[in-house]
Amino acid sequence: MKKALSTMMAVTMALSVLTACGGGNSSSSSSDANTSSSGSSSTTGGDFAGQTLKVAAIETAYGQDMWKEVTKSFEEKTGAKVELTMDKNLEDVIDPQMKGGNFYDVVHLASGREKALPETMLKENAIADISDVLDMNVFGEDVKVSDKIIGGFTGNLTTNPYGDDRVYMMPMFYGPCGLFYNKANFTEGGGELTLPTTWDEMFALAEKTDIPLFTYPTAGYLDAFIYAMIPEVGGQDFFNKALQYDEATWASEDMGKMFKVLGNLAANTEKSTPSNGNADNFLKNQQLILDNKALFMPNGNWVVGEMADAPRADGFEWGFMSLPAMDKGSDRYSYTFFEQCWVPAGSENQDLAKTFISYLYSDEAVEIFAKSGAAQPVTGITDNLPEDKQVFYSIYDDGAKASIGSFATTAPVEGMDFKQIFCFTMDSVVNGNKTADQWWKDMQDACKTMKANMQ
């Protein structure tokens, strides 16, 4: 399951961060720090000749070669020297150095990891404001950085952690989550059903097939699912307020619409789902999709590898889509986990650091990263990815917006298991032990308590 398979997710998604109800760290094995420079700056005379850029990047399943190639190319184009440090436990390498005053200029290390280095530095105002990078042209190209990044990957509580317009964390490699299904059941795969574009169309399918509409591996997977539903009912600002436990937002009519949909889903969920939604039996719920015993399942792209050897119905083919829209023509969303890069406030070379970050979104850098399987949130990314991955990453090319972020940090609240309320109440609604309205009321009460304990 998602929490228990963080190592597998590192291999399939190479993400450094998982959040909310299902979490984990992608890269945990130790290795010696790897610091290198291609040494090419002596043969070039670029705008930054003679300057040295210190870059630190977490080593994940993507490997080191892509970062070495990108930094070498940047050296050749700028005349700068890049000192690259990589490690699977990057915090252990760079944190002591920065505490001693030896700052890096660019760091690729995501929030949400166990040691929480970016979060700690943000609390200490030790990460630089790099909002102006969005208005810069991509180095070597005549296009702004902001115009290349897929909508929704900035302006969220991860990139803008203080809840304002200032950007401190730039989005990097990502993995979308959404609804998985068997293409063979739908017209795109030769079946009779039409893929729903709205929730009304989704529930209309119940009249056209005997297959239950929905299942989930465990209720913990509903974190990413609900994170995508919230902006569908109220937009990005609504989403940001919800993640900060805003009482008016959680009590709003729009939020009520979301819980109505969740209640309808519960009524159309395959009935064995809650009993199998645990660490021992979650694969049985995933198997329901392969056996045509449920139509849709929320998950991340690791499920394909996870179920690679499982039996399946004749003609089965994985399909993947964003959540249906609340109303015809309104926005559809898909939640994504993503990594970030940032500039320590103590960096002495911030202009060059920002130029380097802009270069990370260049066509050339994007192609280099994609060769190793690392997808960045830039328009047209699917053109650079292997065909078997395009079905997942094309979700944003097809018009879906990215939902990004997680609930704000609070001090521990005695007796409060917030994720149990947020995610796992679905089991009770499916079983008939609670109603969706009771779930909504429980969330309002929980958010009121959490709001009072925000850090």
Side-chain angles (χ1 to χ4, degrees):
M1 56 192 295
K2 182 163 43 170
K3 185 172 183 179
L5 294 174
S6 57
T7 302
M8 179 180 293
M9 292 169 64
V11 175
T12 57
M13 297 172 65
L15 295 171
S16 296
V17 53
L18 294 178
T19 55
C21 298
N25 302 317
S26 70
S27 186
S28 57
S29 60
S30 61
S31 69
D32 294 334
N34 183 313
T35 304
S36 66
S37 171
S38 70
S40 61
S41 59
S42 61
T43 61
T44 62
D47 294 339
F48 296 97
Q51 296 188 36
T52 297
L53 184 74
K54 297 180 63 177
V55 175
I58 183 75
E59 180 184 350
T60 66
Y62 297 136
Q64 296 188 4
D65 289 347
M66 64 181 190
W67 280 104
K68 291 178 179 178
E69 187 174 351
V70 164
T71 53
K72 179 180 179 180
S73 178
F74 185 75
E75 285 183 326
E76 293 171 345
K77 289 175 168 54
T78 62
K81 175 183 178 182
V82 179
E83 293 181 355
L84 174 64
T85 297
M86 297 193 70
D87 195 90
K88 294 178 180 178
N89 291 313
L90 190 65
E91 300 95 330
D92 295 341
V93 176
I94 68 174
D95 190 25
Q97 293 186 39
M98 292 195 292
K99 285 178 177 176
N102 182 16
F103 288 95
Y104 288 80
D105 300 304
V106 176
V107 179
H108 172 242
L109 179 70
S111 58
R113 288 168 58 85
E114 182 179 357
K115 295 178 182 177
L117 179 59
E119 292 92 329
T120 299
M121 294 182 67
L122 285 167
K123 289 178 181 179
E124 297 172 349
N125 296 312
I127 293 181
D129 179 347
I130 53 175
S131 305
D132 51 342
V133 171
L134 292 175
D135 292 324
M136 294 172 59
N137 276 358
V138 174
F139 181 76
E141 298 179 5
D142 188 23
V143 58
K144 286 186 177 180
V145 172
S146 60
D147 290 335
K148 296 198 74 169
I149 296 176
I150 296 168
F153 276 89
T154 57
N156 56 74
L157 288 175
T158 301
T159 59
N160 300 46
Y162 300 114
D164 53 25
D165 293 335
R166 295 174 297 164
V167 175
Y168 290 79
M169 315 277 280
M170 289 293 289
M172 284 294 287
F173 315 127
Y174 74 103
C177 297
L179 291 176
F180 285 78
Y181 58 92
N182 178 8
K183 282 187 179 181
N185 289 324
F186 297 90
T187 54
E188 65 173 332
E192 297 181 354
L193 301 176
T194 301
L195 279 176
T197 61
T198 67
W199 284 109
D200 284 343
E201 292 176 3
M202 168 71 85
F203 296 123
L205 289 176
E207 305 298 323
K208 300 176 182 178
T209 178
D210 293 331
I211 303 174
L213 299 184
F214 196 63
T215 188
Y216 46 87
T218 78
Y221 281 66
L222 296 175
D223 56 355
F225 181 76
I226 298 175
Y227 281 152
M229 291 187 74
I230 295 173
E232 285 197 346
V233 299
Q236 186 65 48
D237 289 343
F238 183 88
F239 178 67
N240 290 345
K241 290 177 180 178
L243 297 189
Q244 296 179 79
Y245 314 104
D246 181 73
E247 294 178 42
T249 299
W250 281 98
S252 68
E253 182 179 345
D254 284 337
M255 196 65 78
K257 293 178 182 178
M258 184 185 80
F259 279 92
K260 182 178 180 180
V261 170
L262 289 170
N264 285 339
L265 271 178
N268 287 279
T269 295
E270 206 282 337
K271 296 307 179 184
S272 66
T273 296
S275 61
N276 289 323
N278 53 62
D280 295 326
N281 296 309
F282 74 99
L283 290 176
K284 293 180 179 180
N285 288 338
Q286 295 182 170
Q287 186 67 40
L288 293 173
I289 299 296
L290 283 78
D291 291 340
N292 286 333
K293 294 181 178 179
L295 280 183
F296 294 97
M297 171 185 64
N299 219 312
N301 62 359
W302 59 86
V303 70
V304 176
E306 197 169 64
M307 304 300 289
D309 297 326
R312 59 203 62 208
D314 291 343
F316 179 90
E317 183 180 358
W318 285 111
F320 183 67
M321 73 176 200
S322 60
L323 271 61
M326 285 292 167
D327 300 295
K328 192 171 184 64
S330 62
D331 291 333
R332 299 176 64 175
Y333 279 82
S334 168
Y335 186 78
T336 188
F337 300 110
F338 75 103
E339 304 176 38
Q340 310 97 44
C341 65
W342 39 276
V343 176
S347 163
E348 297 181 355
N349 212 349
Q350 293 191 17
D351 287 343
L352 181 56
K354 293 175 182 178
T355 300
F356 178 74
I357 291 175
S358 79
Y359 173 68
L360 297 180
Y361 299 97
S362 67
D363 291 346
E364 181 177 67
V366 167
E367 183 176 353
I368 291 170
F369 287 130
K371 286 190 301 184
S372 295
Q376 293 164 270
V378 298
T379 55
I381 182 62
T382 52
D383 295 337
N384 294 295
L385 293 173
E387 185 175 351
D388 61 346
K389 291 189 176 184
Q390 291 184 9
V391 64
F392 309 114
Y393 288 94
S394 64
I395 194 167
Y396 301 118
D397 292 341
D398 293 338
K401 290 188 175 181
S403 171
I404 298 168
S406 57
F407 281 101
T409 302
T410 70
V413 180
E414 185 175 356
M416 171 68 71
D417 189 342
F418 185 80
K419 67 182 181 182
Q420 185 72 28
I421 299 170
F422 177 54
C423 297
F424 287 87
T425 305
M426 182 66 160
D427 286 343
S428 298
V429 180
V430 174
N431 287 330
N433 297 325
K434 281 197 171 185
T435 66
D437 282 343
Q438 288 172 320
W439 185 6
W440 183 20
K441 178 62 166 57
D442 290 346
M443 274 299 296
Q444 291 177 63
D445 292 342
C447 286
K448 183 176 181 180
T449 299
M450 299 298 278
K451 180 73 172 181
N453 290 272
M454 281 182 61
Q455 294 181 329

